[in-house]
Amino acid sequence: MKQEVIISQNLQQDIQDAILRQTYDRLFVLTDTTTLRLCWPLVSVFPCFEDAKMITIGDTDENKTLESLSHVWTALQQGGATRHSLLVNLGGGMVTDLGGFAASTFKRGIAYINIPTTLLSQVDASVGGKTGINFGGLKNEIGVFNLASSVILSTEFLRSLDMGNLLSGYAEMLKHSLISDVESWAELLQFGLDNLDYSRLGNLVAKSVAIKERIVEEDPTEKGLRKALNLGHTAGHALESLALEQGRTVLHGYAVAWGLVCELYLSVVKCGFPKDKLRETVLFIKENYGDPSLDCKQYERLYEFMKHDKKNVGDSINFTLLGGIGDIRINQHASKEEIFEMLDFLRDG
Ligand code: GLY
């Protein structure tokens, strides 16, 4: 089944069309406290939302919990939702993941539409049907694959995003280009991030999402090819977990960008990825994302985190690597020594 992804030029028309394509009895809109303040005012005046019932949860990943999920189920129940009701998720990845899971499980599943409001959720989380919540200290531990009926992407929402959050999403776009083609990769490295042209950014978002859609369509439940989307994430998740343990905040995309530095280095060593492309990518990442200020005393802990990554099978650490841009090699493994060398490369460049 293909998910409808709409690159919106006219938000009112596109939202209205997507909603009216569904036959529903009651309409619910899920926001978090931030998107209620910054994004809901941009769409609340649209006639299609006139009778919508609002549900709001706390913002940030800390609220991607069973308690918030229960709050959404309760609000749906008390608001009279039936199996024919429709949920619109307006927010970043936390809202679209949690809302998607709430919709997928309420009365065994109601339809939902995603309107992602951050660059990260537009290019990644809202597309491809991964839904879920954090549980037992682990991210996205409970969830299901279930596609939204429609995903509506608009740069209107990106205007209120700070540079850190824009860069966070941009790292996933960089990843998509690396697993796809040299032209997209070169275009992203050349795009002016200081003086943002939102209309050009919209075109880049559309191309990036098309890469993800192609992969998800071929392998919706990550049996094989979808693992390509994990490039940069084995090392990236470890860096994110380490930061969390040390009480530091690292935006997901920053960890992914540093994870890309690590895994492209491994790609050179193990799969012959071209060194000049590694150098150019690393330069771009160092210039825009800085470096993670690593200390070799942290290597053992990072290695432990990688060993417990949920993408592993058995004891070996699973990486997606590249033989070149667009030349995907899934299910690659590296020794502890190679992994420590990779971390040296990230630290010293
Ligand atoms: N975020 C990676 C995926 O959707 O598979």
Side-chain angles (χ1 to χ4, degrees), residues 123-130 140 145 172 175-176 212 215-216 219-220 222 226-230 233 237 252:
V123 297
D124 191 15
S126 68
V127 177
K130 281 188 178 174
N140 303 322
F145 286 103
E172 295 286 0
K175 176 198 78 180
H176 287 159
K212 175 159 183 180
I215 290 176
V216 170
D219 176 24
E222 203 169 304
R226 189 167 180 165
K227 292 182 188 176
L229 297 171
N230 295 333
H233 283 65
H237 280 155
H252 176 69

Side-chain angles (χ1 to χ4, degrees), residues 230-242 255-256 258-263 266 302 305-306 309 311 317-319 339 342-343 346:
N230 295 333
L231 179 71
H233 283 65
T234 303
H237 280 155
L239 290 163
E240 239 179 329
S241 302
L242 181 71
V256 169
W258 296 323
L260 288 174
V261 172
C262 290
E263 295 176 23
L266 269 192
L302 285 168
F305 281 124
M306 287 183 228
D309 193 297
K311 298 184 293 293
I317 300 172
N318 192 298
F319 289 94
I339 289 174
M342 163 188 102
L343 293 172
L346 175 65

Side-chain angles (χ1 to χ4, degrees), residues 11 15 19 27-56 88-91 115 117 156-157 160:
L11 200 51
I15 291 180
I19 288 180
L27 178 64
F28 293 81
V29 176
L30 177 67
T31 67
D32 65 27
T33 46
T34 300
T35 57
L36 179 66
R37 190 165 51 82
L38 296 177
C39 304
W40 176 237
L42 299 180
V43 298
S44 57
V45 290
F46 299 168
C48 56
F49 287 129
E50 205 178 347
D51 296 321
K53 293 179 197 296
M54 297 301 295
I55 309 174
T56 300
V88 173
N89 298 317
L90 179 72
I115 310 179
T117 56
E156 282 307 303
F157 299 111
S160 58

